[in-house]
Amino acid sequence: MPATVGRRMDRLTPIRRVTRLTRAVDRRTAVRVGVVTAVAYAAWFAIGAFGRPYNFFDMKIYHGAVAWWMNGNELYDFIAPSTTLGFTYPPFGGLIMLPMALVPVQVAGWLNALASIAALALVLAGLLRPVVDRLGWPLWFTVGIATPMAVALEPGRETLGYGQVNLLLFALIMADLIGLRWRARRGTRFDPADGPLRRFVFSGAWAGVGIGLATAVKLTPALFIVYLMITRQWRAAATAVGTTIGVTLAGFALVGTESRAYFGSVLWQTERVGAADMTPNQSLAGLLARLYDSIETPGLLWLSFSVLILALGLSRAVSARADGDELTAFTLVGLTANVISPISWSHHLVWVIPAIIVLADAAVRRREASRGSVQRTGQVSSYSGLPGVNGLRPPIWYPTLTGLRHSVAAVGLYLLFLTSPIWPYEHQLPEVSHYQDGLFGALMENSLAVALIVLVAALPWRPGAEPAFYADRFGRTSLVNGRS
């Protein structure tokens, strides 16, 4: 009898272990769900505390314009009631927004908000995947925390609250980054069992379509085409240019009157979007206008500094890509476009989101390297050419502080765009001078613009983090879409 009982107990032991493991996993999952819920609530609270009253103001303009257009009127003749604002997107943008005329404006606003949040979550999943795979974190948990945190930032909450499309355009551009990443990862190697569709999707051959579509909706993403050309990613650049031209020509074929009106006159009517010195315009042009306490930007000064920042941003993006960090390269191009654009409203500044990711990951990578825990995992290079663990020079003093400056920069950048100190010091000429609250007030009113310029000049890249190289079937290393 005792032997029989012992054999039964031996058979039950694995079952009990599995049960305990299942319970531990369930508790861990429940804790993570609770953390995601708490972060989402904190983000909602932060939006209420630091955001502004939102009522889909821009969405009302878009909705009114396409409804006006659907009723047989000229699209660019529409002026929103009680404003001087009209439709400012190209005809292709109007065609995309046309279905919203079939639903009430509030419904259109919420549908846009849900689509934008979903797009942001997908983008964050793609951007964070290499990081969480290296660190061993669950992707769903990381994205569940990152998404509400990103939504709470100034560009996220302004985009959703005003019914803007910036997060959707951001997703289109970042889709091309993912396509280039897939192309770099797989290169010329394919599984013979893959079907034609799967081969096409994971080959990254379609990279450039997102940038082309975004450029057809808003002109500033065209800077990414320039970047692709400079880095000799000819296939992606040709795809982007072809998509932009094709969509624009399709607009002429479908709505020729509106296309001629837009490219003939509306495109050049900069007054349609507002005065340069308005506080939410956090571009270089807005910064200079406010510093000169003028409604208009000093043109020659703006042009000179814009050329300088353009050269700086593109050259740093090229260097980042050459060192194997395509995400930082794209981020630098996006930030540069924000800075040199004549108008960059605060909801346009979505490129601070990947900038925060880059800074945070740079801090983690440096700290891991100082501990000797970062290993090469099939990447072409990781901090190559430098001595020490994985190429990093071992810290001489206080190893625990390695990566501290990048951590501080990431947290500081996040808090700046979370609290958005431009609004307590908002001024409007000619009623109130931009120096009404002294130099400190002027600094706060321009704080986001200053942060963008600093990022263009000083955002670090992570050598070897996302190399734009792949090994061909002979084991050689080649540039994707570039020279061998």
Side-chain angles (χ1 to χ4, degrees):
M1 177 69 79
T4 302
V5 173
R7 286 195 296 271
R8 289 178 179 176
M9 294 297 294
D10 290 340
R11 289 195 296 269
L12 290 175
T13 299
I15 298 176
R16 289 173 177 171
R17 290 175 179 172
V18 171
T19 302
R20 286 196 296 268
L21 179 61
T22 302
R23 289 175 180 173
V25 170
D26 289 342
R27 286 195 295 268
R28 193 179 303 121
T29 301
V31 170
R32 287 171 175 164
V33 170
V35 170
V36 171
T37 302
V39 171
Y41 177 78
W44 180 266
F45 178 81
I47 292 174
F50 302 114
R52 298 188 292 166
Y54 300 118
N55 61 355
F56 300 133
F57 179 83
D58 289 343
M59 178 59 69
K60 291 178 180 178
I61 297 176
Y62 305 152
H63 188 276
V66 295
W68 165 277
W69 190 24
M70 182 175 284
N71 289 329
N73 302 294
E74 297 293 336
L75 176 62
Y76 296 106
D77 287 344
F78 175 80
I79 299 296
S82 303
T83 73
T84 59
L85 303 176
F87 195 79
T88 57
Y89 287 105
F92 176 64
L95 290 172
I96 294 177
M97 297 179 187
L98 199 57
M100 76 169 61
L102 302 177
V103 298
V105 64
Q106 293 294 326
V107 174
W110 281 108
L111 289 176
N112 176 72
L114 292 175
S116 297
I117 294 174
L120 176 61
L122 289 174
V123 167
L124 290 174
L127 300 186
L128 293 171
R129 183 62 181 266
V131 178
V132 299
D133 284 350
R134 191 181 76 245
L135 298 176
W137 298 346
L139 180 62
W140 73 267
F141 177 60
T142 308
V143 174
I145 292 176
T147 302
M149 289 182 66
V151 168
L153 294 176
E154 172 74 12
R157 66 195 182 215
E158 291 278 301
T159 292
L160 300 181
Y162 276 81
Q164 272 285 346
V165 296
N166 304 292
L167 291 175
L168 298 176
L169 298 181
F170 176 62
L172 285 175
I173 296 171
M174 298 316 291
D176 283 351
L177 171 64
I178 302 301
L180 293 173
R181 179 190 293 171
W182 286 347
R183 183 174 176 82
R185 182 178 302 164
R186 293 179 67 107
T188 57
R189 298 164 295 177
F190 295 97
D191 188 340
D194 288 347
L197 180 60
R198 184 176 178 83
R199 279 193 175 195
F200 175 75
V201 170
F202 287 100
S203 69
W206 45 269
V209 172
I211 292 173
L213 291 174
T215 304
V217 175
K218 183 173 288 189
L219 298 180
T220 49
L223 188 60
F224 285 92
I225 301 179
V226 176
Y227 161 76
L228 293 175
M229 291 180 175
I230 293 175
T231 54
R232 301 188 178 186
Q233 300 184 76
W234 301 118
R235 181 169 184 168
T239 301
V241 172
T243 301
T244 302
I245 294 176
V247 166
T248 303
L249 292 178
F252 272 96
L254 295 174
V255 286
T257 302
E258 286 73 15
S259 297
R260 288 188 293 272
Y262 179 79
F263 291 100
S265 61
V266 174
L267 176 61
W268 317 108
Q269 297 172 8
T270 56
E271 70 278 1
R272 291 176 66 98
V273 296
D277 76 301
M278 294 177 65
T279 299
N281 180 21
Q282 291 292 307
S283 69
L284 174 64
L287 170 66
L288 292 175
R290 288 187 292 271
L291 290 180
Y292 274 78
D293 211 22
S294 170
I295 294 177
E296 297 181 354
T297 302
L300 185 59
L301 190 64
W302 169 76
L303 180 61
S304 301
F305 278 108
S306 292
V307 171
L308 176 62
I309 292 175
L310 177 63
L312 176 64
L314 288 180
S315 64
R316 298 193 78 240
V318 171
S319 298
R321 180 181 185 273
D323 276 352
D325 192 353
E326 194 77 55
L327 173 58
T328 300
F330 266 60
T331 303
L332 285 167
V333 176
L335 292 169
T336 302
N338 284 153
V339 173
I340 67 174
S341 175
I343 297 290
S344 288
W345 304 126
S346 61
H347 54 74
H348 292 162
L349 312 183
V350 294
W351 291 100
V352 300
I353 296 173
I356 293 170
I357 294 175
V358 167
L359 286 169
D361 188 42
V364 173
R365 288 168 64 87
R366 281 162 171 75
R367 183 166 176 78
E368 286 183 336
S370 71
R371 294 175 172 177
S373 60
V374 176
Q375 304 296 330
R376 298 188 183 191
T377 57
Q379 296 173 340
V380 172
S381 67
S382 187
Y383 302 93
S384 58
L386 298 176
V389 177
N390 200 30
L392 279 182
R393 178 179 60 80
I396 299 174
W397 304 313
Y398 307 112
T400 57
L401 299 182
T402 303
L404 178 63
R405 59 193 176 99
H406 297 88
S407 301
V408 171
V411 172
L413 185 62
Y414 183 84
L415 292 178
L416 175 66
F417 278 82
L418 179 69
T419 59
S420 191
I422 64 175
W423 300 118
Y425 300 94
E426 181 179 12
H427 304 107
Q428 184 67 54
L429 291 175
E431 290 82 4
V432 182
S433 167
H434 290 289
Y435 291 96
Q436 178 71 27
D437 295 307
L439 291 178
F440 180 78
L443 176 62
M444 292 297 100
E445 191 178 14
N446 294 293
S447 56
L448 303 189
V450 172
L452 294 181
I453 296 172
V454 171
L455 286 173
V456 171
L459 180 68
W461 54 82
R462 307 153 299 157
E466 293 178 1
F469 302 86
Y470 64 86
D472 63 17
R473 57 195 179 97
F474 300 106
R476 296 174 303 193
T477 299
S478 303
L479 263 173
V480 176
N481 290 329
R483 295 180 297 178
S484 300

